[in-house]
Amino acid sequence: MVDFTLTDEQKSLRELAHDFAEREIRPVAWELDRTAGWPQAILDKAHAIGLMNTHMPEEYGGSGLSYLDGCIISEELAWGCSGVQTSLGANSLASVPVILAGSEEVKREFAEELVAEPKIASFCLTEPGAGSDVSGMRTRAVRKGDKYVINGSKCFITNGSYADWFIVYAKTDPEAGHRGISAFLVRKDDTIVVDKKEDKMGQRASNTATITFAETEVDARYLLGEENKGFKLAMRVLDHTRPGISAVATGISRAAFEFASTYAKERVQFGVPIAMHQAIQFLIADMATKVHLSRLATWNSAVLLDQGRRNTLESSHAKRFAADSAMEVATDAVQVYGGYGFIKDYPVEKLMRDAKIMQLYEGTSQIQRLVIARETLLPRRIEEPATATA
Ligand SMILES: Cc1cc2nc3c(=O)[nH]c(=O)nc-3n(C[C@H](O)[C@H](O)[C@H](O)COP(=O)(O)OP(=O)(O)OC[C@H]3O[C@@H](n4cnc5c(N)ncnc54)[C@H](O)[C@@H]3O)c2cc1C
């Protein structure tokens, strides 16, 4: 049976997240965008009421919410401000590899710390020469006794300036391409330097930094999964996190749609509200459809994960469609506002800038199409569990 009716608990979660977005995020969102400020006070409050680290398993003190629950929360927070949501939500991206591949001892140490305090963890995959093609990474991890020594630089790292923990992907077999990558959980220390904070087009309330590891020593027990299996782990992680990113894109689309609908009913030209002009109605109708379908694709990809099923194709469908839709809906919202849409005193130009990143990070829209084409042209015959390698 196909049924997306939310349970009473899910409705309460949505209400909690929406109220938080309305009270704590919306009132400061445009100011944080202007100043590119770090929303620590919001993170503290969100952590206190359980809106951070939502997937942390119950056995480590977390709330153990489902992926669908996480998507419901993320859409509401991103409706408030997707930059703030990214600051709040990036711990999930960093936590998934630990939950999927960490030893029991490492999982417990990491998870209990994040649950106890609003600490930050960053996911460090991208490098200047290795974006979509992560096999080109140059960061090295060399085993010395019971330790690995890591050297290299990672760029565009979300929350990097504030991270207490880093998930670091590094080459352990430099000749083996993507089969020579391993993943490590690394605690912040003096050998880890934040080189640069990026000045971004959008999502300016999120922090993005370059992180350099110089002779960083990490105990071998912090290797996540097997040596040289880090690429497969990263692909599995992205299957788990793309539904959440799609939910963020849906939140941006919904905010843009709501602003545009309200404005269209208020703005009078040629003697009638512009919402009476069919050209504007059709823009609004297309926005509504894109919000609706983005949410359905997002929830579908999350529910498959919750059922323990492989969701590679569905999470790419959702990420591609929701991200491209967010860009289209936010651009059309600016169109509905006319010249005012281009002015910073009005809300929608921020949404248009924020939306752009959705088509870029966690796999660009082109990379999603590559995945969709591969999964469609060469479908896997056997239904694999979500924990199977990608
Ligand atoms: C604000 C922000 C936050 C980020 N956060 C993180 C983070 O926390 N951790 C992290 O590890 N990374 C992060 N990233 C990095 C992000 O995931 C990469 O920017 C993204 O994967 C694209 O890599 P690239 O920028 O090097 O672009 P490139 O890979 O150089 O791509 C350039 C263009 O070529 C296209 N392209 C590339 N290869 C192909 C192909 N085979 N077929 C068709 N088109 C192709 C791309 O779609 C794109 O349009 C972040 C980036 C930004 C901007």
Side-chain angles (χ1 to χ4, degrees):
M1 187 174 83
V2 177
D3 185 1
F4 281 133
T5 309
L6 299 186
T7 63
D8 288 345
E9 289 77 21
Q10 286 167 331
K11 286 180 192 158
S12 302
L13 272 179
R14 185 169 63 182
E15 206 172 308
L16 176 78
H18 186 78
D19 285 352
F20 187 82
E22 198 159 43
R23 277 184 298 105
E24 305 290 345
I25 300 178
R26 272 273 170 105
V28 292
W30 278 263
E31 180 62 10
L32 284 168
D33 173 66
R34 197 180 63 74
T35 59
W38 171 247
Q40 185 63 50
I42 299 177
L43 264 69
D44 291 344
K45 287 180 191 164
H47 187 272
I49 62 167
L51 291 175
M52 275 179 81
N53 307 311
T54 52
H55 307 317
M56 213 57 99
E58 280 176 306
E59 60 260 44
Y60 309 123
S63 45
L65 294 182
S66 69
Y67 284 93
L68 177 57
D69 295 342
C71 287
I72 292 166
I73 292 172
S74 293
E75 180 184 326
E76 298 309 317
L77 299 180
W79 170 90
C81 171
S82 64
V84 172
Q85 192 289 331
T86 298
S87 301
L88 287 171
N91 271 7
S92 298
L93 172 61
S95 301
V96 172
V98 182
I99 294 167
L100 288 179
S103 69
E104 193 55 31
E105 182 194 8
V106 165
K107 270 194 263 200
R108 188 165 296 284
E109 179 186 359
F110 174 77
E112 287 183 352
E113 224 172 87
L114 262 64
V115 168
E117 289 176 63
K119 292 206 168 181
I120 298 291
S122 284
F123 181 86
C124 306
L125 185 64
T126 305
E127 297 184 10
S132 301
D133 179 12
V134 297
S135 68
M137 73 171 57
R138 299 172 71 106
T139 297
R140 286 289 317 269
V142 176
R143 181 136 193 176
K144 289 192 177 154
D146 59 357
K147 291 190 188 317
Y148 286 86
V149 180
I150 301 178
N151 281 287
S153 254
K154 297 286 177 179
C155 66
F156 298 156
I157 302 308
T158 298
N159 290 354
S161 306
Y162 299 92
D164 305 283
W165 290 96
F166 300 90
I167 307 304
V168 184
Y169 291 84
K171 283 269 172 80
T172 33
D173 183 353
E175 310 307 321
H178 70 273
R179 292 195 176 83
I181 296 170
S182 301
F184 301 89
L185 174 63
V186 182
R187 191 188 277 279
K188 175 95 168 80
D189 69 19
D190 293 344
T191 66
I192 301 171
V193 178
V194 179
D195 287 322
K196 184 179 175 214
K197 181 196 158 191
E198 303 293 351
D199 187 7
K200 303 197 296 294
M201 171 197 281
Q203 292 206 340
R204 290 169 56 78
S206 77
N207 170 269
T208 312
T210 295
I211 311 292
T212 296
F213 301 86
E215 296 291 311
T216 302
E217 289 190 355
V218 48
D219 196 287
R221 72 197 170 94
Y222 291 111
L223 172 70
L224 298 175
E226 289 175 52
E227 200 176 84
N228 297 326
K229 295 283 169 61
F231 178 80
K232 285 187 173 179
L233 176 61
M235 296 305 107
R236 282 171 63 197
V237 169
L238 295 174
D239 285 352
H240 282 71
T241 55
R242 282 178 181 152
I245 298 296
S246 313
V248 173
T250 308
I252 297 173
S253 296
R254 195 177 109 215
F257 159 75
E258 287 177 9
F259 280 123
S261 301
T262 304
Y263 187 82
K265 287 189 259 184
E266 289 167 357
R267 173 72 174 167
V268 174
Q269 288 291 283
F270 297 97
V272 291
I274 58 170
M276 298 293 283
H277 301 303
Q278 197 180 52
I280 296 292
Q281 289 172 11
F282 281 13
L283 277 180
I284 300 282
D286 284 351
M287 289 181 191
T289 303
K290 285 170 186 167
V291 173
H292 180 64
L293 295 183
S294 295
R295 186 181 298 120
L296 286 182
T298 298
W299 285 10
N300 178 36
S301 66
V303 165
L304 287 173
L305 273 184
D306 290 331
Q307 292 173 342
R309 292 162 68 191
R310 190 168 177 275
N311 74 339
T312 305
L313 174 61
E314 290 77 6
S315 71
S316 282
H317 278 320
K319 165 75 165 65
R320 207 289 294 160
F321 184 80
D324 289 353
S325 293
M327 194 67 240
E328 291 160 9
V329 171
T331 306
D332 285 347
V334 170
Q335 195 65 28
V336 169
Y337 271 69
Y340 298 96
F342 201 63
I343 305 297
K344 283 189 181 287
D345 291 346
Y346 292 82
V348 286
E349 64 84 35
K350 169 185 181 295
L351 300 180
M352 187 173 163
R353 288 184 286 105
D354 287 350
K356 185 63 209 172
I357 188 62
M358 308 313 299
Q359 297 176 300
L360 299 172
Y361 63 20
E362 295 216 23
T364 64
S365 290
Q366 287 74 33
I367 295 303
Q368 303 311 324
R369 285 180 173 89
L370 285 184
V371 175
I372 293 165
R374 187 193 67 206
E375 293 284 318
T376 309
L377 293 169
L378 299 167
R380 307 220 177 176
R381 288 209 191 92
I382 302 163
E383 180 96 344
E384 295 174 29
T387 48
T389 51

